[in-house]
Amino acid sequence: MERSAFIKSSCNICMLLTAGMILPTLTGCGPAAYKVINTDIHNDQVAVPLTGFTQSPLQLVRPKGWYYSIAVRKKEDNTYSALLLKCTHQDNQLTPAGSNGYTCSLHGSAFNTAGVVTKGPAERSLKEYPVTTDQDNLIIHIKAQ
């Protein structure tokens, strides 16, 4: 093999390996794993149909006029939590990381499903909203942002 052909093929292999390591970390470039439910706010409350939790324990809700989503998760004990997906480091939108919690694509902060920081640079837990249920809906109690 000639020297120039060897160098060219070596460079191609290096680029493929680098792309293979970088692409999985680009969560913002992939398809959204969860559908965001856009909903209205009535009397500082957001209603989420309970039927949605039969398909997935996690629902992403975006109140009308808000930039950030709220992650509503049904826990194993059949209670619910509602966390604002706003990174406490520099206010970036968070993305769900499956059953592991939420991640920030800006600086790599990570939060568990309870909203507690598991990896910095964020230092504060996520904002949690109180929730109640009625016969058909989960009600998130919010104050206007």
Side-chain angles (χ1 to χ4, degrees):
M1 179 182 272
E2 290 184 19
R3 183 175 188 267
S4 63
F6 173 77
I7 291 172
K8 190 175 186 179
S9 63
S10 297
C11 288
N12 287 338
I13 290 171
C14 287
M15 288 189 327
L16 287 173
L17 289 173
T18 301
M21 291 187 321
I22 291 175
L23 286 177
T25 65
L26 299 176
T27 56
C29 295
Y34 299 94
K35 179 182 174 193
V36 176
I37 301 167
N38 294 303
T39 186
D40 291 323
I41 302 170
H42 298 286
N43 299 321
D44 292 331
Q45 297 177 352
V46 174
V48 181
L50 289 171
T51 55
F53 294 98
T54 58
Q55 297 172 359
S56 172
L58 178 64
Q59 302 291 318
L60 298 183
V61 179
R62 180 149 323 139
K64 189 173 187 173
W66 284 29
Y67 175 75
Y68 300 99
S69 296
I70 298 173
V72 183
R73 187 176 295 272
K74 183 176 183 179
K75 302 180 202 176
E76 290 181 13
D77 63 358
N78 287 325
T79 60
Y80 298 87
S81 65
L83 299 171
L84 184 63
L85 294 185
K86 177 180 177 182
C87 185
T88 58
H89 175 238
Q90 288 191 341
D91 299 340
N92 192 46
Q93 175 84 283
L94 299 176
T95 56
S99 61
N100 296 326
Y102 313 97
T103 58
C104 179
S105 62
L106 193 58
H107 294 111
S109 292
F111 303 83
N112 66 16
T113 56
V116 176
V117 177
T118 58
K119 180 182 173 198
E123 296 178 351
R124 290 173 291 137
S125 295
L126 300 178
K127 179 175 182 160
E128 184 170 7
Y129 293 103
V131 296
T132 56
T133 57
D134 63 20
Q135 194 165 5
D136 299 319
N137 295 300
L138 175 120
I139 310 298
I140 306 168
H141 300 273
I142 61 172
K143 297 283 183 189
Q145 279 189 319

